[in-house]
Amino acid sequence: MDIAGLQKLSLLDYPGKICCIVFTAGCNFRCPFCHNAAVVNNTLPQIPESEVLTFLEKRKNLLEGVCVSGGEPLLQSGLEQFLAKIKALGYAVKLDTNGSFPDRFADLINANLIDYVAMDIKNTPQKYALTVGCGVDYSLIEQSAKIIMSSGINYELRTTLVKQIHTPADIEQIGQAFKGAKRFYLQNFAASNDLLGNIPLTPLTDGEMKAALEIIKRHIPNAEIR
Protein backbone atom coordinates (compact mmCIF):
# COMPACT_ATOMS: atom_id res chain seq x y z
CA MET A 1 0.00 0.00 0.00
CA ASP A 2 1.27 3.44 -0.99
CA ILE A 3 -0.23 5.65 1.71
CA ALA A 4 0.28 9.38 1.24
CA GLY A 5 -1.74 10.78 4.12
CA LEU A 6 -3.74 10.08 7.26
CA GLN A 7 -6.38 12.46 8.59
CA LYS A 8 -6.90 11.22 12.10
CA LEU A 9 -10.42 12.53 12.64
CA SER A 10 -13.36 13.46 10.43
CA LEU A 11 -17.00 14.00 11.31
CA LEU A 12 -18.02 14.59 7.68
CA ASP A 13 -16.47 12.01 5.38
CA TYR A 14 -18.36 8.92 6.56
CA PRO A 15 -22.07 9.73 6.97
CA GLY A 16 -23.24 8.88 10.46
CA LYS A 17 -19.84 7.75 11.73
CA ILE A 18 -16.76 9.23 13.35
CA CYS A 19 -13.92 8.24 11.07
CA CYS A 20 -10.38 8.79 9.97
CA ILE A 21 -9.28 9.13 6.34
CA VAL A 22 -6.49 7.14 4.70
CA PHE A 23 -5.26 8.74 1.48
CA THR A 24 -3.68 6.36 -1.02
CA ALA A 25 -1.14 7.75 -3.48
CA GLY A 26 -1.61 7.98 -7.22
CA CYS A 27 -4.57 8.27 -9.57
CA ASN A 28 -5.32 7.29 -13.17
CA PHE A 29 -7.27 10.54 -13.70
CA ARG A 30 -5.90 14.07 -13.93
CA CYS A 31 -8.93 16.20 -13.11
CA PRO A 32 -7.84 19.86 -13.29
CA PHE A 33 -10.04 20.75 -10.31
CA CYS A 34 -8.55 18.06 -8.05
CA HIS A 35 -7.30 19.65 -4.82
CA ASN A 36 -5.08 16.70 -3.83
CA ALA A 37 -2.34 17.19 -6.42
CA ALA A 38 0.45 16.05 -4.10
CA VAL A 39 -1.45 12.85 -3.35
CA VAL A 40 -2.25 12.19 -7.01
CA ASN A 41 1.33 12.86 -8.10
CA ASN A 42 2.70 10.82 -5.19
CA THR A 43 5.10 13.52 -4.04
CA LEU A 44 4.40 13.22 -0.32
CA PRO A 45 6.41 11.08 2.12
CA GLN A 46 4.94 7.61 2.40
CA ILE A 47 3.31 6.46 5.62
CA PRO A 48 3.99 2.79 6.44
CA GLU A 49 0.91 0.59 6.46
CA SER A 50 1.98 -0.75 9.85
CA GLU A 51 1.88 2.78 11.27
CA VAL A 52 -1.70 3.26 10.09
CA LEU A 53 -2.80 -0.10 11.50
CA THR A 54 -1.14 0.67 14.85
CA PHE A 55 -3.02 3.97 14.96
CA LEU A 56 -6.32 2.18 14.21
CA GLU A 57 -5.65 -0.38 16.91
CA LYS A 58 -5.19 2.39 19.47
CA ARG A 59 -8.32 4.27 18.36
CA LYS A 60 -10.79 1.37 18.35
CA ASN A 61 -12.85 2.88 21.15
CA LEU A 62 -12.91 6.36 19.60
CA LEU A 63 -13.40 5.84 15.86
CA GLU A 64 -16.19 3.94 14.13
CA GLY A 65 -15.08 3.91 10.52
CA VAL A 66 -12.21 4.31 8.09
CA CYS A 67 -12.60 6.21 4.84
CA VAL A 68 -10.12 5.03 2.22
CA SER A 69 -9.68 7.78 -0.33
CA GLY A 70 -7.08 9.08 -2.73
CA GLY A 71 -6.02 9.48 -5.38
CA GLU A 72 -7.72 6.31 -6.52
CA PRO A 73 -7.54 3.48 -3.95
CA LEU A 74 -8.36 0.75 -6.48
CA LEU A 75 -4.95 1.28 -8.08
CA GLN A 76 -3.37 -0.27 -4.99
CA SER A 77 -2.45 -3.93 -5.45
CA GLY A 78 -2.63 -4.60 -1.71
CA LEU A 79 -5.98 -2.93 -1.12
CA GLU A 80 -7.95 -6.13 -0.45
CA GLN A 81 -5.53 -7.27 2.24
CA PHE A 82 -5.43 -3.80 3.78
CA LEU A 83 -9.22 -3.53 3.98
CA ALA A 84 -9.41 -7.02 5.49
CA LYS A 85 -7.05 -5.91 8.28
CA ILE A 86 -9.17 -2.82 8.91
CA LYS A 87 -12.35 -4.92 9.06
CA ALA A 88 -10.65 -7.36 11.43
CA LEU A 89 -10.15 -4.45 13.84
CA GLY A 90 -13.91 -3.93 13.87
CA TYR A 91 -14.16 -0.82 11.71
CA ALA A 92 -16.69 -0.03 9.03
CA VAL A 93 -15.03 0.80 5.70
CA LYS A 94 -15.98 3.56 3.29
CA LEU A 95 -14.34 3.63 -0.14
CA ASP A 96 -14.01 6.71 -2.33
CA THR A 97 -13.55 5.81 -5.99
CA ASN A 98 -13.71 7.30 -9.47
CA GLY A 99 -15.46 4.17 -10.74
CA SER A 100 -12.97 3.20 -13.43
CA PHE A 101 -12.19 -0.28 -12.03
CA PRO A 102 -15.55 -2.09 -11.83
CA ASP A 103 -14.10 -5.61 -11.65
CA ARG A 104 -11.85 -4.88 -8.69
CA PHE A 105 -14.67 -2.95 -7.08
CA ALA A 106 -17.09 -5.86 -7.47
CA ASP A 107 -14.55 -8.22 -5.91
CA LEU A 108 -14.31 -6.02 -2.81
CA ILE A 109 -18.07 -5.93 -2.44
CA ASN A 110 -18.38 -9.68 -2.88
CA ALA A 111 -15.71 -10.16 -0.22
CA ASN A 112 -17.72 -7.98 2.20
CA LEU A 113 -14.81 -5.57 2.58
CA ILE A 114 -16.81 -2.37 1.92
CA ASP A 115 -19.71 -0.94 3.92
CA TYR A 116 -20.19 2.38 2.13
CA VAL A 117 -19.10 3.66 -1.28
CA ALA A 118 -18.82 7.20 -2.61
CA MET A 119 -18.35 7.29 -6.37
CA ASP A 120 -17.64 10.37 -8.42
CA ILE A 121 -19.64 11.06 -11.56
CA LYS A 122 -17.39 13.55 -13.31
CA ASN A 123 -19.57 14.61 -16.24
CA THR A 124 -21.52 13.42 -19.29
CA PRO A 125 -20.01 10.71 -21.53
CA GLN A 126 -19.15 13.29 -24.19
CA LYS A 127 -17.20 15.45 -21.74
CA TYR A 128 -15.69 12.80 -19.48
CA ALA A 129 -12.20 12.86 -21.00
CA LEU A 130 -12.14 16.66 -20.89
CA THR A 131 -13.25 16.67 -17.27
CA VAL A 132 -10.84 14.01 -16.01
CA GLY A 133 -7.87 15.23 -18.05
CA CYS A 134 -7.21 11.97 -19.90
CA GLY A 135 -8.85 9.31 -22.02
CA VAL A 136 -11.36 7.07 -20.28
CA ASP A 137 -13.73 4.25 -21.20
CA TYR A 138 -17.08 5.59 -20.00
CA SER A 139 -18.60 2.11 -20.03
CA LEU A 140 -16.44 1.33 -16.98
CA ILE A 141 -18.09 4.20 -15.11
CA GLU A 142 -21.52 2.89 -16.07
CA GLN A 143 -20.60 -0.63 -14.92
CA SER A 144 -19.40 0.60 -11.53
CA ALA A 145 -22.55 2.66 -11.01
CA LYS A 146 -24.74 -0.33 -11.82
CA ILE A 147 -22.77 -2.51 -9.41
CA ILE A 148 -23.13 0.07 -6.64
CA MET A 149 -26.81 0.71 -7.18
CA SER A 150 -27.69 -2.99 -7.17
CA SER A 151 -25.28 -4.13 -4.44
CA GLY A 152 -27.42 -3.45 -1.39
CA ILE A 153 -24.62 -1.60 0.38
CA ASN A 154 -24.87 2.05 1.37
CA TYR A 155 -23.61 4.41 -1.28
CA GLU A 156 -23.62 7.88 -2.73
CA LEU A 157 -22.96 9.24 -6.18
CA ARG A 158 -21.58 12.77 -6.39
CA THR A 159 -20.59 15.38 -8.93
CA THR A 160 -18.28 18.30 -8.26
CA LEU A 161 -19.40 21.27 -10.34
CA VAL A 162 -16.98 23.74 -11.94
CA LYS A 163 -18.27 26.82 -13.75
CA GLN A 164 -15.88 26.40 -16.71
CA ILE A 165 -16.62 22.69 -17.15
CA HIS A 166 -20.27 21.94 -16.34
CA THR A 167 -23.34 23.41 -18.02
CA PRO A 168 -27.03 23.11 -17.11
CA ALA A 169 -27.42 20.70 -20.05
CA ASP A 170 -24.63 18.52 -18.60
CA ILE A 171 -26.38 18.41 -15.22
CA GLU A 172 -29.65 17.45 -16.91
CA GLN A 173 -27.96 14.59 -18.73
CA ILE A 174 -26.22 13.35 -15.57
CA GLY A 175 -29.56 13.31 -13.74
CA GLN A 176 -31.17 11.31 -16.53
CA ALA A 177 -28.30 8.80 -16.59
CA PHE A 178 -28.41 8.07 -12.86
CA LYS A 179 -32.13 8.24 -12.21
CA GLY A 180 -33.02 6.04 -9.25
CA ALA A 181 -29.83 6.71 -7.29
CA LYS A 182 -30.34 6.29 -3.55
CA ARG A 183 -28.17 9.32 -2.75
CA PHE A 184 -26.78 11.93 -5.12
CA TYR A 185 -24.83 14.98 -4.03
CA LEU A 186 -23.78 18.07 -5.94
CA GLN A 187 -20.58 19.59 -4.63
CA ASN A 188 -19.24 23.01 -5.53
CA PHE A 189 -15.64 23.33 -6.68
CA ALA A 190 -13.39 24.76 -3.99
CA ALA A 191 -10.12 26.41 -4.95
CA SER A 192 -6.95 25.43 -3.09
CA ASN A 193 -3.20 25.87 -3.32
CA ASP A 194 -2.77 22.25 -4.37
CA LEU A 195 -4.85 22.05 -7.55
CA LEU A 196 -3.77 19.51 -10.12
CA GLY A 197 -4.47 21.74 -13.13
CA ASN A 198 -3.05 25.16 -13.94
CA ILE A 199 -6.05 26.66 -15.73
CA PRO A 200 -8.28 29.29 -14.09
CA LEU A 201 -11.31 27.62 -12.52
CA THR A 202 -14.08 29.10 -10.43
CA PRO A 203 -16.94 27.73 -8.33
CA LEU A 204 -20.60 28.27 -9.06
CA THR A 205 -22.49 30.97 -7.21
CA ASP A 206 -25.05 29.97 -4.57
CA GLY A 207 -27.79 30.76 -7.06
CA GLU A 208 -26.19 28.62 -9.74
CA MET A 209 -25.83 25.72 -7.32
CA LYS A 210 -29.50 25.97 -6.36
CA ALA A 211 -30.45 26.04 -10.05
CA ALA A 212 -28.28 22.97 -10.68
CA LEU A 213 -30.00 21.16 -7.82
CA GLU A 214 -33.43 21.94 -9.25
CA ILE A 215 -32.33 20.47 -12.58
CA ILE A 216 -31.01 17.22 -11.18
CA LYS A 217 -33.97 16.80 -8.81
CA ARG A 218 -36.21 16.40 -11.85
CA HIS A 219 -34.65 12.96 -12.20
CA ILE A 220 -33.25 12.26 -8.71
CA PRO A 221 -35.73 13.85 -6.27
CA ASN A 222 -33.63 13.14 -3.17
CA ALA A 223 -30.49 14.86 -4.57
CA GLU A 224 -28.85 17.39 -2.27
CA ILE A 225 -26.11 20.00 -2.22
CA ARG A 226 -23.16 19.15 -0.01
Side-chain angles (χ1 to χ4, degrees), residues 20 27-28 47 60 94 98 124 126 137 141 144 158 161 170 184 201 211:
C20 68
C27 187
N28 56 320
I47 301 174
K60 282 198 292 186
K94 173 177 176 275
N98 62 30
T124 63
Q126 301 90 333
D137 181 353
I141 309 301
S144 290
R158 59 195 186 184
L161 298 178
D170 295 332
F184 201 109
L201 299 174

Tab-separated table of all heavy atoms in Angstrom, residues 20 27-28 47 60 94 98 124 126 137 141 144 158 161 170 184 201 211:
chain	number	residue	atom	x	y	z
A	20	CYS	N	-11.618	8.208	10.434
A	20	CYS	CA	-10.375	8.787	9.967
A	20	CYS	C	-10.323	8.567	8.456
A	20	CYS	O	-11.123	7.806	7.900
A	20	CYS	CB	-9.165	8.158	10.647
A	20	CYS	SG	-8.874	6.427	10.188
A	27	CYS	N	-3.241	8.313	-8.953
A	27	CYS	CA	-4.568	8.271	-9.573
A	27	CYS	C	-4.394	8.118	-11.079
A	27	CYS	O	-3.420	8.615	-11.657
A	27	CYS	CB	-5.348	9.550	-9.265
A	27	CYS	SG	-7.086	9.498	-9.816
A	28	ASN	N	-5.349	7.440	-11.710
A	28	ASN	CA	-5.325	7.291	-13.165
A	28	ASN	C	-6.019	8.444	-13.876
A	28	ASN	O	-5.975	8.524	-15.104
A	28	ASN	CB	-5.959	5.963	-13.572
A	28	ASN	CG	-7.372	5.800	-13.046
A	28	ASN	OD1	-7.666	6.177	-11.910
A	28	ASN	ND2	-8.245	5.221	-13.845
A	47	ILE	N	3.592	6.889	4.255
A	47	ILE	CA	3.308	6.460	5.622
A	47	ILE	C	3.234	4.934	5.619
A	47	ILE	O	2.448	4.355	4.865
A	47	ILE	CB	1.982	7.052	6.126
A	47	ILE	CG1	2.027	8.582	6.095
A	47	ILE	CG2	1.674	6.557	7.538
A	47	ILE	CD1	0.705	9.241	6.433
A	60	LYS	N	-9.586	2.203	18.533
A	60	LYS	CA	-10.785	1.371	18.346
A	60	LYS	C	-11.981	1.834	19.167
A	60	LYS	O	-13.127	1.622	18.766
A	60	LYS	CB	-10.459	-0.098	18.668
A	60	LYS	CG	-9.712	-0.810	17.566
A	60	LYS	CD	-9.781	-2.314	17.708
A	60	LYS	CE	-9.022	-2.812	18.910
A	60	LYS	NZ	-8.991	-4.303	18.939
A	94	LYS	N	-15.425	2.779	4.389
A	94	LYS	CA	-15.976	3.561	3.286
A	94	LYS	C	-14.894	3.711	2.221
A	94	LYS	O	-13.739	4.009	2.532
A	94	LYS	CB	-16.426	4.939	3.750
A	94	LYS	CG	-16.852	5.884	2.608
A	94	LYS	CD	-17.348	7.213	3.179
A	94	LYS	CE	-17.698	8.212	2.087
A	94	LYS	NZ	-16.515	8.963	1.627
A	98	ASN	N	-13.264	6.625	-8.240
A	98	ASN	CA	-13.710	7.301	-9.466
A	98	ASN	C	-14.480	6.360	-10.389
A	98	ASN	O	-14.931	6.768	-11.454
A	98	ASN	CB	-12.529	7.954	-10.200
A	98	ASN	CG	-11.476	6.955	-10.676
A	98	ASN	OD1	-11.757	5.798	-10.980
A	98	ASN	ND2	-10.226	7.425	-10.772
A	124	THR	N	-20.820	14.223	-18.278
A	124	THR	CA	-21.517	13.425	-19.293
A	124	THR	C	-20.507	12.588	-20.067
A	124	THR	O	-19.305	12.889	-20.066
A	124	THR	CB	-22.249	14.352	-20.276
A	124	THR	OG1	-21.272	15.149	-20.968
A	124	THR	CG2	-23.222	15.260	-19.550
A	126	GLN	N	-19.828	12.498	-23.168
A	126	GLN	CA	-19.149	13.286	-24.194
A	126	GLN	C	-18.040	14.163	-23.618
A	126	GLN	O	-17.088	14.514	-24.318
A	126	GLN	CB	-20.159	14.176	-24.933
A	126	GLN	CG	-21.291	13.420	-25.612
A	126	GLN	CD	-22.506	13.233	-24.705
A	126	GLN	OE1	-22.386	13.201	-23.480
A	126	GLN	NE2	-23.683	13.118	-25.313
A	137	ASP	N	-12.647	5.066	-20.656
A	137	ASP	CA	-13.729	4.251	-21.200
A	137	ASP	C	-14.963	4.477	-20.319
A	137	ASP	O	-15.041	3.953	-19.207
A	137	ASP	CB	-13.314	2.780	-21.204
A	137	ASP	CG	-14.378	1.857	-21.792
A	137	ASP	OD1	-15.493	2.331	-22.072
A	137	ASP	OD2	-14.088	0.658	-21.951
A	141	ILE	N	-17.375	3.379	-16.094
A	141	ILE	CA	-18.089	4.202	-15.114
A	141	ILE	C	-19.524	3.697	-14.962
A	141	ILE	O	-20.045	3.558	-13.853
A	141	ILE	CB	-18.085	5.677	-15.545
A	141	ILE	CG1	-16.661	6.155	-15.879
A	141	ILE	CG2	-18.741	6.543	-14.476
A	141	ILE	CD1	-15.671	6.030	-14.761
A	144	SER	N	-19.579	0.391	-12.970
A	144	SER	CA	-19.400	0.598	-11.531
A	144	SER	C	-20.665	1.145	-10.891
A	144	SER	O	-21.059	0.713	-9.800
A	144	SER	CB	-18.227	1.553	-11.277
A	144	SER	OG	-16.998	0.943	-11.588
A	158	ARG	N	-21.801	11.340	-6.602
A	158	ARG	CA	-21.585	12.765	-6.386
A	158	ARG	C	-20.879	13.384	-7.593
A	158	ARG	O	-20.070	12.736	-8.254
A	158	ARG	CB	-20.757	12.995	-5.120
A	158	ARG	CG	-19.386	12.315	-5.147
A	158	ARG	CD	-18.764	12.262	-3.779
A	158	ARG	NE	-17.406	11.738	-3.843
A	158	ARG	CZ	-16.639	11.500	-2.785
A	158	ARG	NH1	-17.095	11.729	-1.563
A	158	ARG	NH2	-15.406	11.042	-2.921
A	161	LEU	N	-19.096	20.350	-9.258
A	161	LEU	CA	-19.404	21.268	-10.344
A	161	LEU	C	-18.383	22.400	-10.431
A	161	LEU	O	-18.017	22.996	-9.410
A	161	LEU	CB	-20.803	21.857	-10.159
A	161	LEU	CG	-21.956	20.847	-10.178
A	161	LEU	CD1	-23.287	21.558	-9.938
A	161	LEU	CD2	-21.987	20.084	-11.497
A	170	ASP	N	-25.416	19.641	-19.133
A	170	ASP	CA	-24.634	18.515	-18.598
A	170	ASP	C	-25.310	17.953	-17.351
A	170	ASP	O	-25.426	16.725	-17.176
A	170	ASP	CB	-23.219	18.963	-18.234
A	170	ASP	CG	-22.402	19.410	-19.427
A	170	ASP	OD1	-22.661	18.919	-20.538
A	170	ASP	OD2	-21.502	20.248	-19.240
A	184	PHE	N	-27.574	11.209	-4.124
A	184	PHE	CA	-26.779	11.926	-5.123
A	184	PHE	C	-26.502	13.322	-4.580
A	184	PHE	O	-27.430	14.033	-4.186
A	184	PHE	CB	-27.514	12.030	-6.464
A	184	PHE	CG	-26.591	12.298	-7.622
A	184	PHE	CD1	-26.329	11.328	-8.562
A	184	PHE	CD2	-25.969	13.533	-7.766
A	184	PHE	CE1	-25.472	11.565	-9.626
A	184	PHE	CE2	-25.110	13.790	-8.810
A	184	PHE	CZ	-24.858	12.802	-9.747
A	201	LEU	N	-10.017	28.258	-12.771
A	201	LEU	CA	-11.308	27.621	-12.519
A	201	LEU	C	-12.006	28.360	-11.390
A	201	LEU	O	-11.355	28.853	-10.468
A	201	LEU	CB	-11.120	26.143	-12.134
A	201	LEU	CG	-10.459	25.232	-13.167
A	201	LEU	CD1	-10.214	23.863	-12.586
A	201	LEU	CD2	-11.309	25.135	-14.421
A	211	ALA	N	-29.856	26.336	-8.743
A	211	ALA	CA	-30.450	26.037	-10.045
A	211	ALA	C	-30.028	24.655	-10.532
A	211	ALA	O	-30.840	23.907	-11.103
A	211	ALA	CB	-30.031	27.102	-11.055
